[in-house]
């Protein structure tokens, strides 16, 4: 277990160090109470995981000259961490004055707990009690110290998780909502850890030990600390993940629409505008979407309504509906129009519109055109519609 902790705790400390430094940078422009509390929210885990590293744990107590001082230090940091989390959530949820009014009794309570913890720890240290002695016959103050800490820990974890869950319902940013919900879902692991440690104290009074449930403790701690670390940092790194996913989607959309755009503008080059050499991918994709629609309207005079009807019939038989059916119909119209234009055969009566759907915004338009491009490239509905409506070259229909 010590070997695992020697690897896991420094890694967790490193993550919190990076988050702490990032928040320090933000303090240059935003020194609100919530931001200061967020700094503490990463500073205290940094201290906890650093000191909890086995080698540092022993060295810290020896340097101070107080037996198990590292335990008191890390558990006090846990209480201060909880106070920071409560301050963050209260200032996010309420106006500043209301937040401080609601925070006051919580801060007073945590301060009182710390005073009691230090008092009981000092008394246990004077009697040279061991941290692992829970029976009253062996230790008088240490069981009381741990009981106060664990009850306060459990109470405050319930408070923090409930605040997280409530605010997640109104949080303005998606990654903040996700992070707060993840933090709130760590509550069972907090209760499992506190329950196991309280059970140790109870078992000590009956002359037994908690060896049977001890394996649950590191599991609960690992899940709890990992979940909370991820949840509290999620609003920061989540935005980068969204940006990365957005870039990947732009690249995929560009690749899907380029063949359709090239096929249409080869016959209707007028809509194409030359862009600046340094134009970003979003701008280029936006132009492709517009130029595809412009080309569709330019090709309308080559579209035979019979092709659209045949495509709609075949698409319905194939189980298509909604945007999927509309994309197949538009793809068939485009394929038919290109075929007619290449042959120089204009229909007697052309389609009144080249569109079979009306996306409401740019995102919906892009999604629809991606479906249109796929249907144009490989839809059996398009093939069947063109086979059903062959060109008939007559002098009256020749352009």
């Amino acid at each position: 277990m010590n070997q695992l902790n020697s690897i896991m705790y420094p890694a967790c400390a490193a993550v919190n160090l990076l988050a702490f430094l990032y928040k320090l940078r933000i303090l240059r422009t935003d020194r609100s109470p919530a931001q200061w509390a967020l700094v503490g929210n990463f500073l205290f885990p940094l201290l906890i995981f650093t000191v909890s590293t086995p080698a540092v744990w022993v060295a810290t107590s020896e340097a101070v000259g107080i037996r198990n001082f590292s335990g008191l230090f890390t558990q006090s940091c846990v209480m201060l961490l909880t106070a920071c989390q409560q301050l963050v959530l209260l200032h996010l949820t309420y106006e500043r004055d209301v937040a401080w009014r609601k925070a006051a009794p919580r801060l007073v309570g945590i301060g009182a707990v710390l005073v009691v913890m230090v008092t009981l720890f000092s008394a246990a240290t004077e009697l040279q009690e061991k941290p692992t002695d829970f029976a009253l016959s062996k230790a008088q103050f240490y069981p009381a110290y741990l009981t106060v800490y664990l009850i306060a820990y459990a109470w405050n974890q319930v408070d923090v998780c409930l605040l997280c869950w409530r605010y997640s319902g109104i949080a303005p940013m998606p990654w903040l909502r996700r992070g707060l919900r993840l933090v709130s879902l760590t509550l069972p692991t907090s209760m499992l850890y506190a329950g196991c440690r309280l059970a140790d104290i109870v078992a000590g009074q009956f002359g037994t030990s908690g060896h049977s449930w001890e394996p649950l403790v590191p599991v609960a701690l690992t899940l709890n600390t990992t979940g909370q670390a991820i949840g509290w940092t999620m609003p920061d790194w989540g935005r980068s993940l969204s940006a990365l996913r957005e870039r990947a989607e732009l690249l995929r959309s560009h690749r899907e629409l380029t063949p359709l755009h090239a096929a249409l503008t080869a016959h209707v080059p007028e809509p194409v505008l030359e862009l600046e050499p340094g134009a970003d991918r979003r701008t280029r994709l936006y132009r492709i979407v517009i130029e595809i629609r412009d080309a569709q309207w330019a090709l309308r005079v080559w579209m035979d309504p019979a092709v659209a009807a045949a495509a709609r019939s075949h698409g319905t038989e194939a189980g298509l509906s909604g945007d999927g059916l509309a994309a197949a119909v538009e793809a068939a119209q485009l394929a038919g129009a290109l075929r007619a234009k290449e042959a120089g055969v204009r229909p007697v009566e052309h389609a009144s519109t080249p569109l079979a759907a009306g996306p409401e915004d740019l995102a919906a338009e892009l999604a629809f055109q991606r479906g249109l491009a796929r249907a144009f490239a490989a839809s059996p509905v398009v093939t069947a519609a063109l086979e059903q409506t062959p060109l008939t070259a007559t002098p009256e229909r020749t352009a």
Side-chain angles (χ1 to χ4, degrees):
M1 182 62 66
N2 281 342
Q3 290 181 344
L4 178 61
N5 291 343
S6 297
I7 298 173
M8 183 181 70
Y9 288 163
C12 292
V15 171
N16 281 280
L17 174 61
L18 293 175
F20 170 69
L21 295 175
Y22 177 79
K23 288 301 177 185
L24 277 182
R25 185 176 62 85
I26 293 179
L27 281 178
R28 291 182 299 180
T29 56
D30 183 359
R31 297 188 178 183
S32 63
Q35 287 298 335
W36 277 107
L38 276 173
V39 169
N41 190 46
F42 296 113
L43 172 62
F44 289 116
L46 168 61
L47 297 175
I48 292 168
F49 287 118
T50 299
V51 175
S52 295
T53 303
V56 180
W57 180 281
V58 175
T60 302
S61 295
E62 291 179 350
V64 177
I66 299 176
R67 187 177 188 178
N68 199 39
F69 172 80
S70 297
L72 174 63
F73 178 80
T74 55
Q75 288 163 354
S76 298
C77 285
V78 169
M79 301 308 300
L80 294 173
L81 168 62
T82 302
C84 289
Q85 293 174 346
Q86 290 169 333
L87 284 174
V88 171
L89 294 165
L90 290 171
H91 278 86
L92 288 176
T93 307
Y94 302 101
E95 295 294 332
R96 184 167 183 162
D97 293 342
V98 177
W100 279 118
R101 187 168 67 249
K102 289 182 175 293
R106 291 175 166 88
L107 297 178
V108 170
I110 290 175
V113 168
L114 289 173
V115 170
V116 173
M117 285 173 57
V118 170
T119 302
L120 292 173
F121 181 87
S122 300
T125 301
E126 289 182 4
L127 295 179
Q128 296 184 342
E129 295 178 358
K130 297 179 180 179
T132 55
D133 290 338
F134 300 127
L136 293 178
S137 59
K138 295 182 179 181
Q140 182 177 359
F141 294 104
Y142 208 81
Y145 162 82
L146 278 179
T147 300
V148 170
Y149 166 69
L150 291 170
I151 291 176
Y153 168 80
W155 179 274
N156 282 283
Q157 285 298 303
V158 170
D159 186 39
V160 167
C161 290
L162 287 177
L163 287 173
C164 283
W165 187 261
R166 289 169 185 165
Y167 184 67
S168 68
I170 60 174
M173 295 177 292
W175 283 106
L176 178 57
R177 292 195 295 270
R178 294 164 188 157
L180 292 175
R181 285 169 185 161
L182 179 58
V183 172
S184 67
L185 292 176
T186 63
L187 181 59
T189 60
S190 302
M191 297 301 100
L192 179 59
Y193 163 74
C196 288
R197 285 295 177 242
L198 286 170
D200 287 338
I201 299 172
V202 174
Q205 312 314 310
F206 294 93
T208 61
S209 68
H211 290 304
S212 58
W213 56 78
E214 184 62 24
L216 295 175
V217 174
V219 174
L221 277 176
T222 300
L223 292 175
N224 182 264
T225 55
T226 303
Q228 293 213 4
I230 293 174
W232 284 108
T233 57
M234 191 177 287
D236 295 314
W237 56 260
R239 287 175 294 185
S240 299
L241 188 62
S242 291
L244 181 62
R245 184 174 60 188
E246 183 178 353
R247 286 196 294 270
E249 280 298 304
L250 285 175
L251 179 60
R252 189 177 298 113
S253 298
H254 192 275
R255 287 177 176 174
E256 288 183 352
L257 294 184
T258 296
L260 174 62
H261 178 266
L264 299 184
T265 57
H267 293 273
V268 187
E270 292 80 11
V272 179
L273 295 178
E274 291 295 330
L275 295 175
E276 295 290 333
D280 59 74
R281 190 176 298 278
R282 181 184 296 276
T283 301
R284 293 182 181 278
L285 181 62
Y286 179 67
R287 281 304 313 169
I288 286 176
V289 169
I290 293 175
E291 289 165 8
I292 286 175
R293 283 308 193 198
D294 288 345
Q296 278 185 278
W297 281 100
L299 289 168
R300 179 175 64 92
V301 295
W302 298 93
M303 293 180 182
D304 188 342
V307 174
R312 190 173 300 277
S313 175
H314 286 290
T316 303
E317 291 177 1
L320 298 179
S321 62
D323 284 349
L325 178 59
V329 171
E330 287 192 21
Q333 284 183 305
L334 286 173
L338 295 181
R339 179 185 64 174
K341 193 171 188 301
E342 287 177 351
V345 179
R346 194 186 296 267
V348 174
E349 180 183 354
H350 60 71
S352 59
T353 175
L355 307 181
E360 297 180 355
D361 52 36
L362 182 59
E365 177 70 36
L366 178 58
F368 180 81
Q369 285 201 20
R370 290 174 68 177
L372 170 61
R374 290 191 292 269
F376 182 82
S379 174
V381 171
V382 174
T383 303
L386 294 183
E387 290 177 350
Q388 185 177 330
T389 56
L391 290 175
T392 304
T394 62
E396 291 78 17
R397 297 182 66 192
T398 302

